[in-house]
Amino acid sequence: MSILINELCSLYNDEQLPNLKISYKDFSVWEKKELESEKLQQAKQYWLNKFEGEIPVLNMPCNHSRPAVKCFEGKKVYGNIDNKLTKQINNISQQLGVTPYMLLLSVYYVLLSKYTGQEDIVVGSPIIGRDLSAISNVIGMFVNTLALRNTVNNKLCFKDFLNLIKENCLESYKYQTYPFDELINTLNIKRDTSRNPLFDTMFVYQNNGNPEISLNGINAKYYIPDSKISKFDLSLEIIPNKEILDFSFEYCTKLFDKDFIERLSTHYINILKVVLENINVEICNICMLSEDEKNKILYEFNDTKMNYPKDKTISQLFEEQVEKTPDNIAVVFEEQKLTYKELNEKANSLANYLRDKGIGRNDIVGIMVNRSLEMIVGIMAVLKSGGCYIPIDPAYPQDRIEYMLKNSQAKFVLTKQYLNDNISFDNIINIELDNNTIYNLSNKNSKNINTPDDASYIIYTSGSTGVPKGVTLKHKAITNLATYLNKYVTFLSNPANQTIASVTTVSFDIFIFETLICLQRGLKVILANEEEQHIPSKLNELVDKNHVTIIQMTPSRIQLFLDNIEDFPSISNLEYVVLAGEPLPDKLLSDLLRLGIKKIYNRIWS
């Protein structure tokens, strides 16, 4: 384009154009012959060696899920490197024997490594391809693309890394004539319709800038419109402009938002400033964050102080909710249900029975029952009595159950007749929850004897790394968590008409969220039975029958429902999904949002 404009200016200024020795057609014939020459074979071998083995894929964090088919919709974010920094770039480049291109490219590699955590990175970069003096004024496409593969070693100082970039660039220039498309075909790369082959980011440095145009005394300058196209996920173009450097980040709008790219742009400049200040700085010590960002991360984001009822226990928060919604349904199991008032009264009677039997503050009580209303009553009763409960899955092996009871020094165990036949309860008082006489005492709220520092429950680890260990949670930990979730989780801050399906086993910590946390806010808890827990079709019926609006699952389990949505249509009626226990794939998040689910939470209690 610059040749065309220069010739247009010459003709406009009544100047004679020089005669061309060869045409672009001649060059095409020469290039075809060159592909079969020994020199090109050496270049081919160089590039094949460069990309031997697994070729890295740049995994930039994106604002949006990557489309299945590559999209070319794009925009640009513009900026400039000021006069002071430009002078520093030129001075340091001269001192180190590198070009500004090499220095600025090195900074780009560091930026990409900081964002991705990757070391092996491929960046595309165009090269003018006019080595032959005879074609210097021939109009035509001579540009080739170099796929520059470099390793960003965090332990290196920037100066040493820059020298490695220099060596790699100079070596690549020797073999620049090997066509990029030939390299792609020769490498036989597995094509991915969502990405460009070999690399997803470009770095462009316009050595000559955009020269001024003179038309017989009329001065003009280049105007480059934003084409709204992005050939790659991300491209950085730098253009010298007198005493400054103009730059633009071109980005795919299907992947990135403007504010993300603006931050990226700022971080590029921040890295540049750091290395110009100290060329010997280790890459691992280069901080790309601004002072405001540092302040947010170190202070604002860590300012998590919040007022919460430090003088109350979780059972007291539940009693307060009972006063607000006594006649609302609290718990449903199969065809049975309890209102908030009924649940509270049954728990009070059992709590008074436990106190009469000698339970006091922090005494340990095992709860070993199958999923049932009695299980929830038992948990609430132990907390009201002043004790600390241990959830025990009846499906556990006998030796594990006995170990947990002995190790915790439990004084009581709440169970049912048919579950305790094979268990040894040495020195432990066994109370059977299906004995109705235990509910004959007063059903009024008793005086609370706990403090927030008392134990509320103990969860035992799986024991996969050795002997299972019990972890004790205090009342203040639950009330602290409850207060936070009440404020920031939509269905807890506005709990009216919300129903949650409890599908987690009682021995998992997250069962607390499905029960105690939700009950202190007035939600309806639908307790899944054993079949509904494990058989998708049964769970689908449970969700549909009870108009469930909230469910908590692992990502892999809810993926099973999505993969068979025709068989499990009730999932599309959910309003909120809470995911935990595994990484959350981007595609799963997108699929759930497309279903119309209002909000998806990921590990909200961590």
Side-chain angles (χ1 to χ4, degrees), residues 386-403:
C388 168
Y389 77 91
I390 302 176
I392 301 172
D393 192 331
Y396 280 162
Q398 178 182 341
D399 58 349
R400 179 177 171 87
I401 294 173
E402 292 177 354
Y403 167 80

mmCIF file of all heavy atoms in Angstrom, residues 386-403:
data_model
loop_
_atom_site.group_PDB
_atom_site.id
_atom_site.type_symbol
_atom_site.label_atom_id
_atom_site.label_comp_id
_atom_site.label_asym_id
_atom_site.label_seq_id
_atom_site.Cartn_x
_atom_site.Cartn_y
_atom_site.Cartn_z
ATOM 1 N N GLY A 386 -27.657 -28.337 73.500
ATOM 2 C CA GLY A 386 -26.338 -27.852 73.896
ATOM 3 C C GLY A 386 -25.221 -28.731 73.398
ATOM 4 O O GLY A 386 -24.046 -28.410 73.547
ATOM 5 N N GLY A 387 -25.594 -29.881 72.800
ATOM 6 C CA GLY A 387 -24.594 -30.839 72.351
ATOM 7 C C GLY A 387 -24.022 -30.533 70.984
ATOM 8 O O GLY A 387 -24.393 -29.559 70.328
ATOM 9 N N CYS A 388 -23.124 -31.409 70.564
ATOM 10 C CA CYS A 388 -22.465 -31.319 69.249
ATOM 11 C C CYS A 388 -22.716 -32.641 68.539
ATOM 12 O O CYS A 388 -22.457 -33.714 69.098
ATOM 13 C CB CYS A 388 -20.969 -31.087 69.460
ATOM 14 S SG CYS A 388 -19.956 -31.300 67.977
ATOM 15 N N TYR A 389 -23.229 -32.599 67.328
ATOM 16 C CA TYR A 389 -23.594 -33.853 66.668
ATOM 17 C C TYR A 389 -22.546 -34.301 65.642
ATOM 18 O O TYR A 389 -21.805 -33.500 65.083
ATOM 19 C CB TYR A 389 -24.976 -33.740 66.021
ATOM 20 C CG TYR A 389 -25.023 -32.981 64.712
ATOM 21 C CD1 TYR A 389 -24.864 -33.628 63.494
ATOM 22 C CD2 TYR A 389 -25.267 -31.605 64.695
ATOM 23 C CE1 TYR A 389 -24.919 -32.947 62.296
ATOM 24 C CE2 TYR A 389 -25.325 -30.908 63.502
ATOM 25 C CZ TYR A 389 -25.146 -31.584 62.297
ATOM 26 O OH TYR A 389 -25.189 -30.897 61.120
ATOM 27 N N ILE A 390 -22.502 -35.609 65.434
ATOM 28 C CA ILE A 390 -21.675 -36.204 64.377
ATOM 29 C C ILE A 390 -22.609 -36.927 63.421
ATOM 30 O O ILE A 390 -23.289 -37.878 63.818
ATOM 31 C CB ILE A 390 -20.670 -37.236 64.926
ATOM 32 C CG1 ILE A 390 -19.757 -36.626 65.969
ATOM 33 C CG2 ILE A 390 -19.834 -37.814 63.792
ATOM 34 C CD1 ILE A 390 -18.825 -37.647 66.584
ATOM 35 N N PRO A 391 -22.685 -36.497 62.161
ATOM 36 C CA PRO A 391 -23.504 -37.234 61.190
ATOM 37 C C PRO A 391 -22.793 -38.522 60.780
ATOM 38 O O PRO A 391 -21.628 -38.501 60.392
ATOM 39 C CB PRO A 391 -23.619 -36.256 60.014
ATOM 40 C CG PRO A 391 -22.388 -35.409 60.116
ATOM 41 C CD PRO A 391 -22.045 -35.316 61.568
ATOM 42 N N ILE A 392 -23.501 -39.645 60.881
ATOM 43 C CA ILE A 392 -22.928 -40.940 60.528
ATOM 44 C C ILE A 392 -23.826 -41.603 59.492
ATOM 45 O O ILE A 392 -25.016 -41.847 59.757
ATOM 46 C CB ILE A 392 -22.796 -41.855 61.764
ATOM 47 C CG1 ILE A 392 -21.911 -41.181 62.830
ATOM 48 C CG2 ILE A 392 -22.224 -43.218 61.384
ATOM 49 C CD1 ILE A 392 -21.879 -41.923 64.144
ATOM 50 N N ASP A 393 -23.283 -41.866 58.324
ATOM 51 C CA ASP A 393 -24.038 -42.536 57.272
ATOM 52 C C ASP A 393 -24.202 -44.011 57.654
ATOM 53 O O ASP A 393 -23.204 -44.715 57.839
ATOM 54 C CB ASP A 393 -23.294 -42.412 55.946
ATOM 55 C CG ASP A 393 -24.150 -42.833 54.763
ATOM 56 O OD1 ASP A 393 -25.033 -43.683 54.949
ATOM 57 O OD2 ASP A 393 -23.919 -42.311 53.651
ATOM 58 N N PRO A 394 -25.445 -44.516 57.785
ATOM 59 C CA PRO A 394 -25.647 -45.921 58.151
ATOM 60 C C PRO A 394 -25.017 -46.906 57.155
ATOM 61 O O PRO A 394 -24.790 -48.068 57.497
ATOM 62 C CB PRO A 394 -27.168 -46.074 58.163
ATOM 63 C CG PRO A 394 -27.692 -44.691 58.358
ATOM 64 C CD PRO A 394 -26.712 -43.801 57.652
ATOM 65 N N ALA A 395 -24.728 -46.405 55.939
ATOM 66 C CA ALA A 395 -24.128 -47.281 54.931
ATOM 67 C C ALA A 395 -22.630 -47.488 55.151
ATOM 68 O O ALA A 395 -22.010 -48.313 54.474
ATOM 69 C CB ALA A 395 -24.365 -46.695 53.541
ATOM 70 N N TYR A 396 -22.043 -46.733 56.092
ATOM 71 C CA TYR A 396 -20.618 -46.898 56.379
ATOM 72 C C TYR A 396 -20.346 -48.314 56.888
ATOM 73 O O TYR A 396 -21.202 -48.922 57.552
ATOM 74 C CB TYR A 396 -20.162 -45.902 57.442
ATOM 75 C CG TYR A 396 -19.899 -44.502 56.954
ATOM 76 C CD1 TYR A 396 -19.839 -43.441 57.856
ATOM 77 C CD2 TYR A 396 -19.710 -44.226 55.610
ATOM 78 C CE1 TYR A 396 -19.601 -42.140 57.427
ATOM 79 C CE2 TYR A 396 -19.470 -42.928 55.171
ATOM 80 C CZ TYR A 396 -19.419 -41.901 56.084
ATOM 81 O OH TYR A 396 -19.185 -40.619 55.650
ATOM 82 N N PRO A 397 -19.127 -48.831 56.658
ATOM 83 C CA PRO A 397 -18.747 -50.127 57.239
ATOM 84 C C PRO A 397 -18.816 -50.066 58.765
ATOM 85 O O PRO A 397 -18.617 -49.006 59.377
ATOM 86 C CB PRO A 397 -17.301 -50.328 56.762
ATOM 87 C CG PRO A 397 -17.161 -49.450 55.565
ATOM 88 C CD PRO A 397 -18.067 -48.277 55.807
ATOM 89 N N GLN A 398 -19.089 -51.206 59.378
ATOM 90 C CA GLN A 398 -19.256 -51.289 60.826
ATOM 91 C C GLN A 398 -18.032 -50.749 61.569
ATOM 92 O O GLN A 398 -18.168 -49.990 62.533
ATOM 93 C CB GLN A 398 -19.516 -52.746 61.241
ATOM 94 C CG GLN A 398 -19.655 -52.940 62.738
ATOM 95 C CD GLN A 398 -19.858 -54.402 63.100
ATOM 96 O OE1 GLN A 398 -20.229 -55.219 62.259
ATOM 97 N NE2 GLN A 398 -19.619 -54.749 64.355
ATOM 98 N N ASP A 399 -16.815 -51.128 61.089
ATOM 99 C CA ASP A 399 -15.614 -50.700 61.813
ATOM 100 C C ASP A 399 -15.420 -49.188 61.746
ATOM 101 O O ASP A 399 -14.920 -48.573 62.682
ATOM 102 C CB ASP A 399 -14.369 -51.434 61.304
ATOM 103 C CG ASP A 399 -14.136 -51.234 59.818
ATOM 104 O OD1 ASP A 399 -15.041 -50.714 59.140
ATOM 105 O OD2 ASP A 399 -13.052 -51.603 59.327
ATOM 106 N N ARG A 400 -15.838 -48.547 60.645
ATOM 107 C CA ARG A 400 -15.718 -47.087 60.537
ATOM 108 C C ARG A 400 -16.692 -46.397 61.500
ATOM 109 O O ARG A 400 -16.335 -45.416 62.163
ATOM 110 C CB ARG A 400 -15.974 -46.623 59.111
ATOM 111 C CG ARG A 400 -15.891 -45.095 58.947
ATOM 112 C CD ARG A 400 -16.091 -44.667 57.499
ATOM 113 N NE ARG A 400 -16.232 -43.230 57.380
ATOM 114 C CZ ARG A 400 -15.241 -42.362 57.258
ATOM 115 N NH1 ARG A 400 -13.991 -42.798 57.245
ATOM 116 N NH2 ARG A 400 -15.474 -41.068 57.137
ATOM 117 N N ILE A 401 -17.917 -46.905 61.585
ATOM 118 C CA ILE A 401 -18.907 -46.325 62.499
ATOM 119 C C ILE A 401 -18.416 -46.419 63.938
ATOM 120 O O ILE A 401 -18.445 -45.437 64.695
ATOM 121 C CB ILE A 401 -20.267 -47.029 62.342
ATOM 122 C CG1 ILE A 401 -20.852 -46.747 60.938
ATOM 123 C CG2 ILE A 401 -21.239 -46.568 63.427
ATOM 124 C CD1 ILE A 401 -22.113 -47.536 60.630
ATOM 125 N N GLU A 402 -17.934 -47.599 64.304
ATOM 126 C CA GLU A 402 -17.462 -47.787 65.674
ATOM 127 C C GLU A 402 -16.236 -46.928 65.965
ATOM 128 O O GLU A 402 -16.083 -46.397 67.078
ATOM 129 C CB GLU A 402 -17.169 -49.274 65.918
ATOM 130 C CG GLU A 402 -18.438 -50.128 65.912
ATOM 131 C CD GLU A 402 -18.142 -51.609 66.074
ATOM 132 O OE1 GLU A 402 -16.947 -51.987 66.073
ATOM 133 O OE2 GLU A 402 -19.103 -52.394 66.185
ATOM 134 N N TYR A 403 -15.358 -46.777 64.949
ATOM 135 C CA TYR A 403 -14.179 -45.923 65.126
ATOM 136 C C TYR A 403 -14.593 -44.469 65.371
ATOM 137 O O TYR A 403 -14.068 -43.804 66.275
ATOM 138 C CB TYR A 403 -13.275 -46.003 63.894
ATOM 139 C CG TYR A 403 -12.209 -44.922 63.876
ATOM 140 C CD1 TYR A 403 -11.048 -45.053 64.629
ATOM 141 C CD2 TYR A 403 -12.402 -43.750 63.137
ATOM 142 C CE1 TYR A 403 -10.087 -44.053 64.647
ATOM 143 C CE2 TYR A 403 -11.442 -42.748 63.145
ATOM 144 C CZ TYR A 403 -10.286 -42.900 63.896
ATOM 145 O OH TYR A 403 -9.344 -41.901 63.921
#
